Amino acid sequence: VQLDESGGGLVQAGGSLRLSCAASVNIIGFNSMGWYRQTPGKQRELVAIISSGGSTNYADSVKGRFTISRDNAKNTVYLQMKSLKPEDTAVYYCKAHDLWGDYWGQGTQVTVSS
């Protein structure tokens, strides 16, 4: 399983970005897919998750600003990020989970300038 993230970059506070996570396999087979983020010296934290049935869950810090979605036909999961804040700066990782374990992408850097 290969997960390829894209869409990161540098954006001013208040701006928007959309991250994409393209899977090398059919994502219908995953129980869930999610976005996590990590900053230096801190543990990786959950940002948003979407189940195979489409239910979603978000970290409190991003509720109302971020939206996770999936396109099964394209085997891709998205994270639409709006009203970005400097504290959203991190490396964002995509994760897929199935019965056999977890699969991670290589990460994409998001930097929000104040």
Side-chain angles (χ1 to χ4, degrees):
V1 175
Q2 186 172 344
L3 302 174
D4 292 322
E5 300 106 332
S6 61
L10 174 65
V11 64
Q12 288 189 333
S16 300
L17 282 174
R18 189 178 80 157
L19 305 183
S20 300
C21 172
S24 61
V25 297
N26 194 328
I27 66 172
I28 292 177
F30 295 126
N31 299 105
S32 66
M33 295 189 72
W35 287 95
Y36 293 71
R37 65 188 182 187
Q38 188 171 24
T39 54
K42 293 189 177 181
Q43 286 189 331
R44 196 170 294 187
E45 63 174 4
L46 173 68
V47 176
I49 193 167
I50 185 166
S51 72
S52 57
S55 60
T56 59
N57 198 16
Y58 297 90
D60 288 342
S61 60
V62 307
K63 282 181 181 177
R65 300 188 298 121
F66 291 10
T67 303
I68 188 171
S69 62
R70 58 192 293 161
D71 186 333
N72 291 337
K74 295 183 178 180
N75 293 321
T76 301
V77 172
Y78 303 97
L79 184 68
Q80 178 67 53
M81 305 185 293
K82 299 180 179 179
S83 301
L84 282 161
K85 305 175 181 180
E87 51 264 43
D88 294 319
T89 295
V91 178
Y92 284 70
Y93 296 90
C94 177
K95 189 188 89 169
H97 173 74
D98 65 16
L99 294 176
W100 293 273
D102 295 331
Y103 311 93
W104 291 91
Q106 79 288 351
T108 184
Q109 176 70 47
V110 171
T111 302
V112 184
S113 63
S114 56

